[in-house]
Amino acid sequence: MSCFLCSYTVAMRRTFDEHEVRPAWSLDGRWQFVTQGDKPPMRKDGLPRSYARSIQVPSCWELLPGLESYRGVAWFRTVLERLPGRPTRLVFGGVSHTADVYVDGRRLGHHYDAFTPFEVVVPAEGDPADDRPIESELVLRVDNTFGPHSGLHLENDYYTWGGITRPAEAQALPDDGLFIQRIFATPTLAPGGRWNLDLRVRLGNLGTGVVRRTVRVAVAGCSMTLGPIAVPPAGDKTVEGRITGIAADPWSASSPSLYFLTAQLIDPDTDEITDDLIDRVGFRQVRVRGKRVLLNGRAVRFRGFNRHESHGNFGCALPLEAQAQDLEILRDLGCNFVRTAHYPNDQRFLDLCDEMGFYVWEESHARQVKSDHPAYPEQITRSTQEMLDWHHNHPAIVMWGYLNECESRTPEGRDEHARLYRLIKQCDPSRPVTFACHYNKLSIAYRFCDIVSWNRYDAWYSGWTQKIEPAIKDMIKWLDTPASKGGAGKPVIMSEFGGAGLYGCRARTRAKWTEEYQSDILDESLRVYLHHPRIVGAAIWQFTDCRVTENHWSTRARTHNNKGTLDEFRRPKLAYDTVKARMEEAAKKWNR
Ligand code: ADA
């Protein structure tokens, strides 16, 4: 039996350690694995008796020979070591797309949606005085099927992979059950170039008694003590505070200064540090002022791409190095902006955007979803809340998006936009909110965004490149009239535009589907969109080709959306240099 405490590997769900006091260790590695298709013998508790295969966690099961298009159920199994007498908190960065979590045959957790993290707590067992770890069986039942149970993962223009697709970790919580669950830190500009930092610290109490603690928060050479607070059993409590007058370098894409924020739980009677949580903050403030977006009081413009988490070698489970490569390529292309179409991203990608300096439009999981799907209302609400709950502190996230190309022409569609817009603003009033709309003048939901965002394919689905400029001039003119029902005077982002170019398809005819024509579309689109004074952002559709689901998108050549400026293996197409030239030209003109 390994003495895991001396050999455990630090958790890898972030690009930094979130704990110094709380033991945390990675669950990544080889797990046992079996699919429903393998027809494993089952135990009475409904779990497999034996596992025919093994698999790497994190990864997509589509990488296993023979499972390239497996849509179904599979089970993953590993040994979970636990500290005696202490609850064990399991944190999964992402499981695609539905997980049921069993420990020693007991179902302790369920989660839907591949793109948001979730946590499961295993109750304490054994005597805290015992130093030998308890070994338990940890099994995940994973399902990536479509149907009435899945309102967000659908047959769609991106693929729903299967597996434990993002890093997972285990943590030992204090034996009294009180722990720091989340920290929310919101910076605001203060006089004299200083900063205020609004803090919300949510404590969870898994114990059976009321526990009193103080919370000490330290950041950028400042600190404050919150409490003491008494947290009721089996409950949680949020404490708030504000650190004022912080002298800190501002965060921006050109100067991404970051500061660790440490929160510690202190026993007021013994002064012992019983738990901790470390996160990172960047001191920046985003505001919409009239037709502009201001970052730290200065107008900012966004230029970049829509990026799916989709890779020819890794599926949606891109390792950290591949995620970093994507951002290096975006940097080389002269970009400062990435839209996480159409769902919350791996938190390590967001960490890299914080560190390398990219502005991020992160959006909750929705692409042309239907609000009348039986599972939709609960799933869209929970998925949006989870995005806001887990990703709040990333300075790179400068706006929240929601409901990509969902119904906004009808009163019902408008009301659903109103509901989610208000939910997001209520959870996080510190960021602008937008939704990518392709209904143009037919949409009646422009009241429910702070930035108007349009998806337009003038030179692909209809018309030619010559149509791009007159079409957007007409739209912007219309937007600033009462006919737009709430869009007048708001900043505009071109959230999607482009066309397909099959990698390697070259022709002097510059016909549709050639790399040449794709380059022509992007050249004209960027010439117009990057320089129009009323447009504050432009995101090309899309960064790389991405796999799509077979049944629904037979019109997609090779079951891929081929509108990438690079293919799914990150091989540049002809448009790469065209885009690079246009982005660098805009960066020089706007000086940022
Ligand atoms: C829409 C949608 C994208 C993609 C794009 C396309 O704008 O938001 O996900 O499907 O169309 O390629 O047509």
Side-chain angles (χ1 to χ4, degrees):
M1 179 187 311
S2 68
C3 166
F4 88 112
L5 268 180
C6 47
S7 63
Y8 70 78
T9 53
V10 293
M12 294 305 290
R13 220 174 29 81
R14 305 292 300 273
T15 60
F16 57 91
D17 291 344
E18 291 182 304
H19 302 284
E20 288 174 349
V21 174
R22 186 190 305 176
W25 59 100
S26 175
L27 296 174
D28 298 351
R30 297 300 294 176
W31 288 44
Q32 290 177 295
F33 174 70
V34 67
T35 70
Q36 202 162 45
D38 294 325
K39 297 187 175 37
M42 304 301 280
R43 299 185 323 210
K44 283 202 194 70
D45 61 9
L47 299 179
R49 185 178 307 284
S50 63
Y51 291 75
R53 315 165 188 244
S54 71
I55 192 169
Q56 197 66 26
V57 166
S59 75
C60 301
W61 62 50
E62 288 82 0
L63 274 57
L64 298 185
L67 298 182
E68 291 84 354
S69 297
Y70 179 65
R71 192 160 300 290
V73 169
W75 290 268
F76 297 69
R77 181 185 185 279
T78 191
V79 172
L80 172 67
E81 292 185 322
R82 297 188 283 144
L83 275 180
R86 297 176 66 166
T88 307
R89 180 173 180 246
L90 308 177
V91 182
F92 296 92
V95 178
S96 188
H97 64 58
T98 297
D100 287 292
V101 181
Y102 299 82
V103 175
D104 296 331
R106 284 184 304 152
R107 185 171 177 266
L108 297 182
H110 171 85
H111 184 265
Y112 172 83
D113 197 350
F115 304 116
T116 48
F118 65 98
E119 57 192 276
V120 175
V121 173
V122 186
E125 190 182 334
D127 178 349
D130 187 349
D131 65 359
R132 285 165 302 136
I134 297 169
E135 287 205 349
S136 291
E137 177 194 59
L138 171 60
V139 175
L140 264 70
R141 178 188 185 276
V142 179
D143 175 359
N144 77 339
T145 59
F146 301 136
H149 59 291
S150 178
L152 307 180
H153 286 278
L154 314 165
E155 297 283 3
N156 221 324
D157 202 17
Y158 60 98
Y159 197 77
T160 288
W161 312 82
I164 303 174
T165 51
R166 294 178 183 169
E169 70 189 48
Q171 306 166 357
L173 298 180
D175 54 15
D176 60 23
L178 192 72
F179 71 107
I180 303 173
Q181 191 183 45
R182 207 86 78 235
I183 309 172
F184 300 91
T186 307
T188 49
L189 269 171
R194 295 198 164 219
W195 294 89
N196 296 332
L197 190 67
D198 289 318
L199 297 166
R200 285 186 290 127
V201 184
R202 186 165 67 216
L203 308 181
N205 184 357
L206 302 167
T208 53
V210 175
V211 182
R212 286 178 69 252
R213 289 287 182 272
T214 57
V215 185
R216 186 163 55 216
V217 179
V219 61
C222 302
S223 66
M224 107 174 287
T225 297
L226 306 172
I229 37 110
V231 186
D236 61 46
K237 193 154 193 177
T238 298
V239 286
E240 301 187 1
R242 164 178 278 200
I243 302 179
T244 58
I246 301 171
D249 295 333
W251 185 94
S252 68
S254 53
S255 175
S257 304
L258 291 171
Y259 294 83
F260 279 108
L261 183 147
T262 300
Q264 294 176 329
L265 266 190
I266 314 282
D267 181 331
D269 303 328
T270 65
D271 219 19
E272 181 197 358
I273 302 172
T274 58
D275 192 37
D276 73 334
L277 178 56
I278 299 167
D279 204 339
R280 270 186 332 198
V281 295
F283 289 91
R284 64 100 183 91
Q285 177 181 279
V286 194
R287 293 286 184 274
V288 168
R289 283 280 180 281
K291 298 172 182 173
R292 300 186 306 161
V293 177
L294 304 185
L295 185 94
N296 304 338
R298 287 190 58 207
V300 62
R301 294 173 71 90
F302 308 109
R303 56 182 187 279
F305 280 87
N306 290 272
R307 174 182 175 270
H308 266 300
E309 289 181 328
S310 182
H311 195 291
N313 290 327
F314 308 110
C316 67
L318 283 79
L320 181 63
E321 299 79 357
Q323 298 181 43
Q325 182 196 25
D326 282 358
L327 288 168
E328 294 291 359
I329 294 169
L330 283 166
R331 166 95 75 230
D332 181 63
L333 281 163
C335 300
N336 67 358
F337 181 58
V338 58
R339 176 185 173 209
T340 68
H342 297 292
Y343 36 75
N345 269 201
D346 185 319
Q347 208 159 0
R348 295 170 298 167
F349 184 75
L350 300 174
D351 285 337
L352 288 173
C353 290
D354 293 340
E355 294 166 19
M356 297 172 68
F358 282 90
Y359 300 120
V360 175
W361 158 339
E362 183 165 72
E363 65 186 24
S364 60
H365 183 194
R367 180 197 176 279
Q368 296 185 2
V369 295
K370 305 292 179 245
S371 56
D372 60 357
H373 184 290
Y376 164 88
E378 192 276 332
Q379 290 175 346
I380 190 70
T381 304
R382 179 190 294 269
S383 172
T384 301
Q385 287 169 328
E386 287 175 345
M387 172 184 77
L388 299 167
D389 205 48
W390 285 89
H391 292 171
H392 179 86
N393 294 334
H394 290 282
I397 298 175
V398 292
M399 64 187 82
W400 298 115
Y402 70 105
L403 289 186
N404 174 73
E405 294 197 349
C406 297
E407 185 54 74
S408 66
R409 297 165 296 181
T410 63
E412 298 74 23
R414 175 202 57 214
D415 294 349
E416 178 59 3
H417 280 75
R419 182 183 77 84
L420 283 173
Y421 174 73
R422 290 176 183 135
L423 168 72
I424 297 170
K425 295 301 272 190
Q426 186 189 358
C427 291
D428 180 11
S430 76
R431 290 177 169 97
V433 176
T434 186
F435 64 90
C437 179
H438 67 325
Y439 289 120
N440 299 309
K441 295 181 182 178
L442 299 178
S443 176
I444 58 173
Y446 290 120
R447 268 180 54 207
F448 306 107
C449 63
D450 303 310
I451 300 170
V452 169
S453 296
W454 285 319
N455 297 346
R456 291 189 66 90
Y457 292 88
D458 296 293
W460 181 256
Y461 289 115
S462 62
W464 301 94
T465 55
Q466 295 83 344
K467 184 182 166 194
I468 291 170
E469 186 162 26
I472 199 60
K473 282 184 173 171
D474 172 58
M475 278 303 298
I476 287 174
K477 194 162 154 227
W478 168 85
L479 181 70
D480 286 338
T481 68
S484 72
K485 293 185 178 59
K490 290 181 178 176
V492 171
I493 286 181
M494 297 310 297
S495 38
E496 292 184 28
F497 54 90
L502 290 172
Y503 181 77
C505 177
R506 304 289 302 277
R508 294 169 67 82
T509 58
R510 313 186 82 83
K512 197 170 180 180
W513 295 98
T514 61
E515 290 188 32
E516 284 83 354
Y517 186 56
Q518 180 190 41
S519 175
D520 293 345
I521 294 174
L522 293 180
D523 190 41
E524 177 60 3
S525 302
L526 292 172
R527 183 190 70 78
V528 174
Y529 298 155
L530 287 178
H531 298 280
H532 193 295
R534 192 75 171 67
I535 297 174
V536 300
I540 295 171
W541 186 271
Q542 62 174 328
F543 178 54
T544 70
D545 295 346
C546 72
R547 184 175 177 184
V548 303
T549 54
E550 288 76 2
N551 321 41
H552 193 76
W553 287 79
S554 55
T555 58
R556 294 288 190 236
R558 63 189 198 99
T559 60
H560 274 68
N561 182 308
N562 296 285
K563 297 187 182 71
T565 292
L566 302 92
D567 80 349
E568 65 272 25
F569 297 103
R570 277 65 182 160
R571 298 181 297 183
K573 300 176 189 174
L574 197 63
Y576 187 100
D577 292 327
T578 305
V579 168
K580 181 178 169 77
R582 286 291 185 194
M583 293 289 184
E584 289 175 346
E585 174 193 56
K588 207 174 292 163
K589 171 177 177 181
W590 296 108
N591 186 28
R592 50 187 173 282

